[in-house]
Amino acid sequence: MADKTQRLEIVTPERKVFSGDVRFVVVPGVEGELGFLPDHAPLVSALAIGVVRVQQEGKTFKVAISGGFVEVRNSRVTILARTAEREDEIDRARAEAAKARAEQRLAAKTADIDVVRAELALKRAMARLKAVS
Ligand code: ATP
């Protein structure tokens, strides 16, 4: 049982980010984290901005995603994300700059600031930083 794996695919409109056999995957569902082992019951859920944690044979890694959907069926987990970056692809300086920019906009509170847009940018930057931490 402990050796069982399931297929994980992570794709965005632009590219395939990951494809491989994994033991366990945790995704940021809109109502909280969801964890999947092989043979999980079929499920479709919306995903929030956050971090996907993947456990493979002997190693774990993280992927930052900025929302999307997950489908689980027949020991196959498919994540369709708006954007997704594996932790080794994340430009930490870029994420830190995006975080600082969003925080400045939110702190300024001037009428021309799109608060929701700044909050989403902040969440994306924080997810990327969490994935590389
Ligand atoms: P920024 O303001 O730095 O562009 P953003 O959150 O607005 O950040 P997105 O619109 O989510 O960026 O993503 C645009 C593209 O850039 C996507 O392909 C995404 O994967 C990539 N990307 C964004 N930030 C990073 C990062 N820190 N490291 C690597 N790739 C990134």
Side-chain angles (χ1 to χ4, degrees):
M1 189 71 183
D3 293 324
K4 263 194 134 172
T5 60
Q6 58 193 338
R7 193 76 184 168
L8 172 64
E9 308 273 351
I10 304 179
V11 296
T12 73
E14 281 164 5
R15 68 192 180 106
K16 182 171 282 193
V17 176
F18 178 81
S19 176
D21 294 326
V22 308
R23 286 190 173 179
F24 185 50
V25 53
V26 178
V27 303
V30 285
E31 287 169 21
E33 290 201 321
L34 302 166
F36 306 121
L37 286 164
D39 298 323
H40 193 283
L43 169 147
V44 171
S45 173
L47 297 177
I49 296 168
V51 176
V52 174
R53 298 202 310 275
V54 183
Q55 205 179 95
Q56 270 184 309
E57 193 86 23
K59 66 168 181 173
T60 63
F61 64 93
K62 297 180 211 159
V63 180
I65 64 162
S66 60
F69 292 91
V70 63
E71 180 194 45
V72 183
R73 194 157 49 100
N74 295 338
S75 282
R76 175 179 282 265
V77 178
T78 307
I79 294 173
L80 307 169
R82 176 190 162 274
T83 64
E85 307 90 36
R86 298 189 309 269
E87 59 181 272
D88 58 306
E89 300 175 315
I90 292 172
D91 179 340
R92 181 195 286 266
R94 177 175 167 180
E96 275 167 358
K99 177 171 179 276
R101 217 162 43 237
E103 283 171 343
Q104 278 162 17
R105 286 188 175 132
L106 291 169
K109 285 207 175 84
T110 54
D112 61 332
I113 296 298
D114 182 338
V115 173
V116 172
R117 184 174 161 188
E119 282 172 352
L120 291 173
L122 180 58
K123 281 187 185 165
R124 291 195 298 272
M126 287 176 61
R128 286 171 179 133
L129 292 172
K130 192 171 154 197
V132 290
S133 69

